[in-house]
Amino acid sequence: MPAEKRGQATFWLARGQWNPYNAIIMARKPRVDAGGMCYHVINRGNNRAEVFHKDQDYLRFTEMIGEATERLPMRVLSWCLMPNHFHMVLRPRKDGDLSAWIQWLMTAHVRRYHRHYHSSGHIWQGRYKLFVIQDDHHYLAVLRYVENNALKANLAERAEYWKWSSLYALKRQDVFPFLVPGPVCRPRNWLSLVNKEQPQKEVEQIRTSVIRERPLGDQGWIEKIAKKFALEQTIRPRGRPRKTDK
């Protein structure tokens, strides 16, 4: 039996015999799971289907975030739940905590969903996405992007009116004790900033990081993180290299 390489999944034939010509090998990007860093995490419903159908669904998922932090300490810095996806900004304390925390949350939610709706099958798309954030103005840009999500989608007249986000939770921390301050404090005019249109350059950079799981920060910091965690492919230009004239 051939050994599988790290980051690859091997598919076996029905009879249990490996066929080097018919087996499909899918490579996965390396994933950072180091403690002490800030991460943006996103997951979408399977085939972008709606996951949260009513207020009770949003409420139960929010409660599960709190339950997850009780089981495994996690610094929850920001979140926004949307009908077919969620955003979170998290800062784990130890290596390996991030994946363990998210795995518990996703599993608990899927079990609750199937019990409640008498359903089966996939609820979320295969693998959640994440990227690392530099602890400076890039962090605040991501928080603004997350907490502005419902407003951009016309789900609320103002961002802080959307009950299923950390912006709403800021004024109700007795109900949401798991929301904690991050490495950079929100400025005093935060509500005003979040309710204004975010600069397009910031939005495009964040969306690129979401799609490619590319670290977000200054160029020197990005290159340092990419090298440290073997994320070089996330910062390389896409497509084939251009041919140079000889």
Side-chain angles (χ1 to χ4, degrees), residues 3 5 25-26 30 34 65 87 120 151 159 164 172 174 189 193 195 198 201-202 205 213 218 222-223 230 235 237 245:
K5 295 181 179 180
I25 297 188
M26 300 176 65
I65 294 174
H87 296 267
S120 61
L151 182 65
W164 317 114
R172 299 288 307 279
D174 56 322
N189 64 336
L193 280 174
N195 280 286
Q198 191 164 5
K201 183 178 179 181
E202 284 187 1
Q205 288 175 337
E213 300 189 89
D218 295 329
I222 291 173
E223 292 173 359
I235 66 174
D245 296 331

Coordinates of all heavy atoms in Angstrom, one line a residue, residues 3 5 25-26 30 34 65 87 120 151 159 164 172 174 189 193 195 198 201-202 205 213 218 222-223 230 235 237 245:
A3 N 2.3 4.9 0.6 CA 2.1 5.9 1.7 C 1.5 7.2 1.1 O 1.9 7.6 0.0 CB 3.4 6.2 2.4
K5 N 1.1 11.2 1.0 CA 1.9 12.3 1.4 C 1.0 13.3 2.2 O -0.2 13.3 2.0 CB 2.4 13.0 0.1 CG 3.4 12.2 -0.6 CD 3.9 12.9 -1.8 CE 5.0 12.1 -2.6 NZ 5.5 12.8 -3.7
I25 N -5.9 12.0 -6.8 CA -5.2 12.6 -5.7 C -5.5 14.1 -5.6 O -5.3 14.8 -6.6 CB -3.7 12.3 -5.7 CG1 -3.5 10.8 -5.7 CG2 -3.0 13.0 -4.6 CD1 -2.1 10.4 -5.6
M26 N -6.0 14.6 -4.5 CA -6.4 16.0 -4.4 C -5.5 16.6 -3.4 O -5.4 16.2 -2.2 CB -7.8 16.1 -4.0 CG -8.8 15.5 -5.0 SD -10.5 15.6 -4.4 CE -10.7 17.4 -4.4
P30 N -1.8 24.2 2.6 CA -1.4 24.2 4.0 C -2.3 25.1 4.8 O -2.8 26.1 4.2 CB 0.1 24.7 3.9 CG 0.5 24.5 2.5 CD -0.7 24.6 1.7
A34 N -1.7 28.3 14.3 CA -0.8 28.7 15.4 C -1.5 29.6 16.4 O -2.4 30.4 16.0 CB 0.4 29.4 14.8
I65 N -21.5 29.3 19.9 CA -20.2 29.9 20.0 C -19.8 30.1 21.4 O -18.6 29.8 21.8 CB -20.3 31.3 19.3 CG1 -20.6 31.2 17.8 CG2 -19.0 32.1 19.5 CD1 -20.8 32.5 17.1
H87 N -19.1 34.9 9.2 CA -17.7 35.4 9.3 C -17.4 35.4 10.8 O -18.2 35.7 11.6 CB -17.6 36.8 8.8 CG -17.9 37.0 7.3 ND1 -16.9 37.0 6.4 CD2 -19.1 37.2 6.7 CE1 -17.4 37.2 5.2 NE2 -18.7 37.4 5.3
S120 N -30.9 15.3 6.5 CA -29.6 14.6 6.5 C -28.7 15.2 5.4 O -29.2 16.0 4.6 CB -29.8 13.1 6.2 OG -30.5 12.9 5.0
L151 N -25.4 45.1 6.6 CA -25.7 46.4 6.0 C -25.6 46.3 4.5 O -26.4 46.7 3.8 CB -24.9 47.5 6.6 CG -25.2 48.9 6.1 CD1 -26.6 49.3 6.5 CD2 -24.2 49.9 6.7
A159 N -25.8 48.9 10.6 CA -25.1 47.7 10.9 C -25.3 47.2 12.3 O -25.5 46.0 12.5 CB -23.6 47.9 10.7
W164 N -27.4 39.5 14.9 CA -26.5 38.3 14.8 C -25.1 38.7 14.5 O -24.5 38.0 13.7 CB -27.2 37.3 13.9 CG -28.6 37.3 14.0 CD1 -29.6 37.6 13.2 CD2 -29.3 36.8 15.2 NE1 -30.8 37.5 13.7 CE2 -30.7 37.0 15.0 CE3 -28.9 36.3 16.5 CZ2 -31.7 36.6 15.9 CZ3 -29.9 36.0 17.4 CH2 -31.3 36.1 17.1
R172 N -24.4 44.7 24.4 CA -25.0 43.7 25.2 C -24.1 42.6 25.7 O -24.3 41.4 25.7 CB -26.1 43.0 24.4 CG -27.2 43.9 23.9 CD -28.2 44.3 25.0 NE -28.7 43.2 25.8 CZ -29.7 42.5 25.4 NH1 -30.3 42.7 24.2 NH2 -30.2 41.5 26.1
D174 N -23.3 41.7 28.6 CA -23.8 40.8 29.6 C -24.4 39.5 29.0 O -24.4 38.5 29.7 CB -24.9 41.5 30.4 CG -26.0 42.1 29.6 OD1 -25.8 42.5 28.5 OD2 -27.2 42.0 30.0
N189 N -15.2 56.4 16.9 CA -16.1 56.6 15.8 C -16.4 55.3 15.1 O -16.8 55.4 13.9 CB -15.6 57.7 14.9 CG -14.3 57.3 14.1 OD1 -13.6 56.4 14.6 ND2 -14.1 57.9 13.0
L193 N -17.9 54.6 11.2 CA -17.1 54.0 10.2 C -17.7 52.7 9.6 O -17.8 52.6 8.3 CB -15.7 53.5 10.8 CG -14.7 54.6 11.0 CD1 -13.5 54.0 11.7 CD2 -14.2 55.2 9.6
N195 N -20.8 52.0 9.4 CA -22.0 52.3 8.6 C -21.7 53.1 7.3 O -22.6 53.4 6.5 CB -23.0 53.1 9.5 CG -23.8 52.2 10.4 OD1 -24.7 51.4 9.9 ND2 -23.4 52.1 11.7
Q198 N -17.0 51.0 2.9 CA -15.6 50.8 3.1 C -14.8 51.0 1.8 O -15.3 50.7 0.7 CB -15.4 49.3 3.6 CG -14.0 49.0 4.1 CD -14.0 47.7 4.8 OE1 -14.9 47.0 4.9 NE2 -12.8 47.4 5.4
K201 N -10.5 49.5 -2.1 CA -9.2 48.8 -2.1 C -9.1 47.8 -0.9 O -8.6 46.7 -1.1 CB -8.1 49.8 -2.0 CG -6.7 49.2 -2.1 CD -5.6 50.3 -2.0 CE -4.2 49.6 -2.0 NZ -3.1 50.7 -2.0
E202 N -9.6 48.3 0.2 CA -9.6 47.4 1.4 C -10.5 46.2 1.2 O -10.1 45.0 1.5 CB -10.1 48.1 2.6 CG -9.2 49.1 3.2 CD -9.7 49.7 4.6 OE1 -10.8 49.3 5.0 OE2 -9.0 50.5 5.1
Q205 N -8.8 43.7 -1.2 CA -7.7 43.0 -0.6 C -8.3 41.8 0.3 O -7.7 40.7 0.4 CB -6.9 43.9 0.3 CG -6.0 44.9 -0.6 CD -5.3 45.9 0.3 OE1 -5.7 46.2 1.4 NE2 -4.2 46.4 -0.3
E213 N -7.0 32.4 0.7 CA -6.5 32.2 2.1 C -5.1 32.8 2.2 O -4.2 32.2 2.8 CB -6.5 30.7 2.4 CG -7.9 30.1 2.3 CD -8.0 28.7 2.8 OE1 -8.2 28.5 4.0 OE2 -7.9 27.7 2.0
D218 N 1.0 44.1 5.7 CA 2.0 44.7 4.9 C 2.7 43.7 4.1 O 2.9 42.5 4.6 CB 2.9 45.5 5.8 CG 2.2 46.7 6.5 OD1 1.3 47.2 6.0 OD2 2.7 47.0 7.7
I222 N 3.5 39.8 5.1 CA 2.9 38.7 4.3 C 4.0 37.7 3.9 O 3.8 36.5 4.0 CB 2.2 39.3 3.1 CG1 0.9 40.1 3.5 CG2 1.8 38.2 2.1 CD1 0.2 40.8 2.4
E223 N 5.1 38.2 3.4 CA 6.1 37.3 2.9 C 6.7 36.5 4.0 O 7.0 35.3 3.9 CB 7.2 38.1 2.2 CG 6.7 38.8 0.9 CD 7.7 39.7 0.2 OE1 8.8 39.9 0.9 OE2 7.4 40.3 -0.8
A230 N 4.6 28.0 5.2 CA 4.5 27.3 3.8 C 3.3 27.7 3.1 O 2.6 26.9 2.5 CB 4.6 25.8 4.0
I235 N 0.4 33.5 -2.3 CA 0.8 34.9 -2.6 C 1.4 35.0 -4.0 O 1.8 36.1 -4.5 CB 1.8 35.5 -1.6 CG1 3.1 34.7 -1.6 CG2 1.2 35.5 -0.2 CD1 4.2 35.3 -0.7
P237 N 1.4 35.0 -8.1 CA 0.5 35.4 -9.1 C -0.2 34.1 -9.7 O 0.5 33.1 -9.9 CB 1.3 36.1 -10.2 CG 2.6 36.5 -9.4 CD 2.8 35.5 -8.4
D245 N 11.1 36.9 -23.8 CA 11.8 36.9 -25.1 C 13.3 36.6 -24.9 O 13.9 37.2 -24.0 CB 11.6 38.2 -25.9 CG 10.2 38.4 -26.2 OD1 9.5 37.4 -26.4 OD2 9.8 39.6 -26.3

